[in-house]
Amino acid sequence: QVQLVESGGGSVQAGGSLRLSCASSAYTSSRNFMGWFRQAPGKEREGVAAIYTAGESTYYATSVKGRFTISQDNAKKTVSLQMNSLKPEDTAMYYCAATRTTFGVLDPLYAGAYNFWGQGTQVTVSS
């Protein structure tokens, strides 16, 4: 069983930055996707960013492209999300997630493709 633990959430003013980290107990395979998702109250969970762990491919939601950067440290089994130029609409619970493999994953930002989830970390951006 893969365990994912997020850290780095908090409160920041609009325009500020936060860095989220996700520590994984193990990679599910040598090739899979790791992603960050968020869910605001009353809204559906949405994909924010994802990364292919065996390569350099990254994927971003339109709303965060150019502001957020996902990266990985394979040796430490961590995936990070650098969030810059934060906006109040970025306020949400942020979740780290992992797929077992890449097989059948057509959209790395689709929550249904992910098999393992962390508990989440809250990000609050005030105006």
Side-chain angles (χ1 to χ4, degrees), residues 38 46-49 59-68 87 90 109:
R38 67 187 182 187
E46 64 170 339
V48 174
Y59 309 82
Y60 295 96
T62 302
S63 59
V64 307
K65 197 171 293 184
R67 300 188 297 123
F68 291 10
K87 304 175 181 180
D90 294 319
L109 294 179

Side-chain angles (χ1 to χ4, degrees), residues 103-116:
F103 181 76
V105 179
L106 301 179
D107 180 2
L109 294 179
Y110 173 56
Y114 286 75
N115 307 103
F116 307 100

Side-chain angles (χ1 to χ4, degrees), residues 25-102:
S25 61
Y27 277 146
T28 53
S29 77
S30 61
R31 302 171 187 268
N32 72 325
F33 290 99
M34 298 283 294
W36 285 96
F37 294 78
R38 67 187 182 187
Q39 188 167 19
K43 294 188 176 182
E44 293 187 354
R45 190 169 296 189
E46 64 170 339
V48 174
I51 188 166
Y52 174 51
T53 59
E56 300 295 327
S57 297
T58 56
Y59 309 82
Y60 295 96
T62 302
S63 59
V64 307
K65 197 171 293 184
R67 300 188 297 123
F68 291 10
T69 303
I70 189 170
S71 60
Q72 62 180 334
D73 183 332
N74 288 339
K76 296 182 179 180
K77 296 186 177 64
T78 60
V79 174
S80 298
L81 185 68
Q82 178 66 43
M83 305 185 295
N84 298 329
S85 302
L86 283 162
K87 304 175 181 180
E89 50 263 43
D90 294 319
T91 295
M93 185 71 78
Y94 283 70
Y95 298 89
C96 175
T99 65
R100 283 194 182 91
T101 70
T102 59

